[in-house]
Amino acid sequence: MVFSSMTFLWIFLPIVFVLSLIVRNIKAINIILLVFSLLFYAWGEPAYLLILLASVFMNWGLGLMMERYEEHKKEVLVLSLIGNIGIIGYFKYCNFLLGTIDSILPITLPRYDISLPIGISFFTFQAMSYIIDLYRGQYKAQKSLINLALYISFFPQLIAGPIVKYKDIEEQILDRNVCLEKRATGFRRFIYGLGKKVIISNVLAQVVDTIYAMDLAQISGAMAWLAAICYMLEIYYDFSGYSDMAIGLGRMFGFEFLENFNYPYVSASIKEFWRRWHISLSSWFRDYLYIPLGGNRKGIHRTYLNLIIVFAVTGLWHGASWTFVIWGLYHGFFLIIERMGFGKILSRSRILGTIYSLIVVVIGWVFFRADSIHFALAFIKRMVLFFNYGASGAILGTILSVKTVIILVIGIIAAGPFQKLFEIKGLKTISAKWKNSSIEAIYLFIILLYCILLLANDTYNPFIYFRF
């Protein structure tokens, strides 16, 4: 089940929300949220629920064991890392590893029919952070299986993040205040995310999918740039949209999750980009991989090596393919270049720094989206050697509609902190009337414009994009 499905919007969410209003006891509400979270996860494939439950029981038991046998907590930590990495390694990377070995050695290894459980990367990383921070003495072990299970499997952040650390919501699980204002802000935040996903991301995805499905010889430089820019926006509005929906849903039930995206495309360096993009993931790798490896404390060359390792793993975390690994290493390379002195040059002009960052990021997304490294390199070649490839006006005309162009323009504008427009002198009156709701006004306008465009064309159903 996904947040943008009709089942979730019209059945699942109303039921669990009404129950949370009726029931006042915090322990009873936690049980309700846990039951619905497990139902949410089991909706698509019930067998996956066993994997999630196995992770919950394993980490709950190891946490209690670590606290009880203080003198052996390091061994328990190692055991938990083996267990958690083993779960994600088998389901996500087994066939990838076998295929890589096949390509290196003159042997043929068998492949296994392994289905990837949805959200396994997110709930496994949350479970690992719980055990690691427990080992570091940041809190006591959670003795309640229900409370720990709720932390790991809470449906708002279960399948698409953000990655929530136990220390950030430990007290909220035990005691939280849900006022009407908090629920209202949660609903608004959820609507923002839903709008990002179904109005912007899904529409731009159609352009991207169409171009990437074409024969490479048919793709011109203009089409390559169009697909790259659309995908850059598609993935941002997809990822940040889900994060907004998760944060909003959390507030509806009294939880406060940390922000996960902060206008990454206004960054003036790749270093800044990773401080703004998928913040929960980048902070996770910083706290649990980069710093334990030594961070920047063991000399410049060791720092560079640590960055390479972290970003190779970051790429691999996103998917079991060498295109993801290359994407991660690509970003790691530019971070190293910036540390070597290029960052000081970028700091002299934010405009030039932003242009540089956008070019680096948009090219990097080609590796992320492509099915193979060969296709990605050929695609990038068309972008770089723009004028060497023929025009494609006729084909572009069949791909781009008025609706798509308007959504593309809106996506570009809204990718920046556009609410600051309301701080301009002369618009303060409007801002005051909306109080802290200037973003709502813009989103309502976007939704209204989108519906008008759809209704103007009888071939479109205004609700079709909610069927995801």
Side-chain angles (χ1 to χ4, degrees):
M1 192 186 304
V2 292
F3 299 151
S4 53
S5 68
M6 288 292 99
T7 303
F8 179 85
L9 293 172
W10 295 102
I11 301 175
F12 183 92
L13 182 57
I15 292 176
V16 67
F17 182 73
V18 170
L19 287 175
S20 72
L21 291 176
I22 297 173
V23 179
R24 295 294 181 179
N25 183 274
I26 193 70
K27 292 183 178 180
I29 293 176
N30 285 348
I31 293 175
I32 291 172
L33 292 178
L34 174 59
V35 170
F36 275 87
S37 294
L38 298 178
L39 174 63
F40 174 87
Y41 191 76
W43 187 263
E45 180 54 65
Y48 293 159
L49 181 61
L50 298 176
I51 301 167
L52 175 61
L53 292 175
S55 177
V56 170
F57 276 103
M58 179 185 71
N59 288 284
W60 174 68
L62 290 173
L64 295 177
M65 188 183 301
M66 181 178 289
E67 190 167 81
R68 182 173 182 179
Y69 302 102
E70 180 74 18
E71 66 278 11
H72 297 294
K73 69 176 187 177
K74 190 170 186 177
E75 289 83 351
V76 177
L77 173 65
V78 172
L79 184 61
S80 72
L81 292 177
I82 293 173
N84 284 302
I85 295 175
I87 290 174
I88 193 173
Y90 173 75
F91 285 100
K92 193 168 184 177
Y93 302 109
C94 181
N95 285 329
F96 169 72
L97 179 61
L98 294 174
T100 301
I101 294 174
D102 270 1
S103 63
I104 297 174
L105 302 177
I107 57 176
T108 302
L109 297 174
R111 298 292 189 276
Y112 301 97
D113 185 17
I114 303 173
S115 298
L116 180 63
I118 188 171
I120 190 171
S121 297
F122 290 98
F123 71 71
T124 301
F125 268 37
Q126 289 201 175
M128 289 174 66
S129 69
Y130 165 74
I131 293 292
I132 294 172
D133 286 343
L134 179 62
Y135 171 80
R136 293 172 175 174
Q138 297 186 7
Y139 41 71
K140 296 291 185 180
Q142 176 55 259
K143 294 179 173 56
S144 169
L145 176 60
I146 291 176
N147 288 346
L148 187 66
L150 178 61
Y151 159 67
I152 295 177
S153 65
F154 191 31
F155 72 87
Q157 34 69 221
L158 178 59
I159 61 172
I163 301 172
V164 180
K165 297 175 183 176
Y166 180 74
K167 62 183 179 182
D168 292 330
I169 64 167
E170 177 187 14
E171 295 181 359
Q172 299 178 46
I173 293 176
L174 302 175
D175 184 28
R176 56 190 181 273
N177 180 31
V178 191
C179 61
L180 182 61
E181 182 181 359
K182 192 171 186 179
R183 292 187 189 275
T185 60
F187 268 111
R188 287 198 295 268
R189 189 62 179 271
F190 178 79
I191 292 170
Y192 302 161
L194 186 63
K196 285 182 177 181
K197 171 61 182 171
V198 302
I199 295 177
I200 301 179
S201 181
N202 283 7
V203 172
L204 297 181
Q206 296 176 14
V207 177
V208 176
D209 294 344
T210 300
I211 295 177
Y212 270 87
M214 295 172 61
D215 187 273
L216 194 58
Q218 295 180 291
I219 301 176
S220 67
M223 294 173 66
W225 272 106
L226 175 64
I229 292 172
C230 284
Y231 185 68
M232 180 176 71
L233 294 171
E234 173 202 339
I235 198 166
Y236 167 66
Y237 285 108
D238 187 285
F239 284 9
S240 67
Y242 268 111
S243 290
D244 286 344
M245 286 189 277
I247 292 171
L249 288 169
R251 286 181 186 172
M252 291 183 203
F253 302 105
F255 291 90
E256 286 289 346
F257 299 151
L258 298 179
E259 293 296 331
N260 204 26
F261 289 85
N262 183 24
Y263 301 108
Y265 293 151
V266 302
S267 302
S269 67
I270 299 304
K271 181 180 180 180
E272 183 183 351
F273 174 80
W274 280 100
R275 288 177 176 173
R276 293 172 174 270
W277 176 271
H278 213 321
I279 300 170
S280 65
L281 178 65
S282 56
S283 63
W284 197 100
F285 278 115
R286 179 197 64 207
D287 295 342
Y288 303 116
L289 185 57
Y290 180 68
I291 293 177
L293 285 173
N296 58 1
R297 305 186 306 274
K298 297 185 177 182
I300 192 67
H301 294 98
R302 180 61 180 272
T303 299
Y304 296 160
L305 177 61
N306 292 341
L307 286 171
I308 291 172
I309 293 172
V310 168
F311 276 89
V313 177
T314 300
L316 196 59
W317 180 87
H318 283 86
S321 170
W322 281 108
T323 55
F324 292 109
V325 177
I326 295 298
W327 172 79
L329 292 173
Y330 171 85
H331 276 267
F333 168 78
F334 282 99
L335 280 170
I336 292 174
I337 294 298
E338 290 175 11
R339 280 182 171 268
M340 294 174 67
F342 188 54
K344 293 182 179 179
I345 298 175
L346 293 173
S347 64
R348 297 174 184 173
S349 171
R350 185 161 188 89
I351 294 176
L352 293 178
T354 303
I355 294 173
Y356 146 81
S357 299
L358 286 173
I359 293 173
V360 170
V361 170
V362 73
I363 292 176
W365 285 132
V366 175
F367 287 106
F368 197 93
R369 176 60 175 79
D371 294 328
S372 68
I373 297 175
H374 169 75
F375 186 93
L377 292 174
F379 203 90
I380 294 171
K381 181 180 179 181
R382 280 161 168 73
M383 295 170 65
V384 174
L385 304 178
F386 178 83
F387 295 105
N388 286 14
Y389 294 89
S392 54
I395 299 178
L396 281 175
T398 62
I399 297 174
L400 289 175
S401 63
V402 174
K403 174 193 70 177
T404 306
V405 172
I406 293 176
I407 294 297
L408 178 59
V409 172
I410 290 173
I412 292 172
I413 295 173
F418 59 91
Q419 71 270 27
K420 290 187 177 180
L421 293 172
F422 285 79
E423 298 173 6
I424 299 174
K425 187 176 181 180
L427 293 179
K428 288 185 177 180
T429 304
I430 299 176
S431 182
K433 288 182 178 179
W434 281 92
K435 295 181 180 179
N436 295 323
S437 303
S438 55
I439 300 180
E440 283 96 318
I442 294 176
Y443 264 97
L444 287 172
F445 173 76
I446 293 172
I447 293 172
L448 178 62
L449 178 61
Y450 183 70
C451 290
I452 291 173
L453 287 170
L454 289 177
L455 292 173
N457 189 338
D458 294 337
T459 62
Y460 286 101
N461 181 335
F463 297 102
I464 191 170
Y465 295 110
F466 287 89
R467 298 173 185 170
F468 179 76

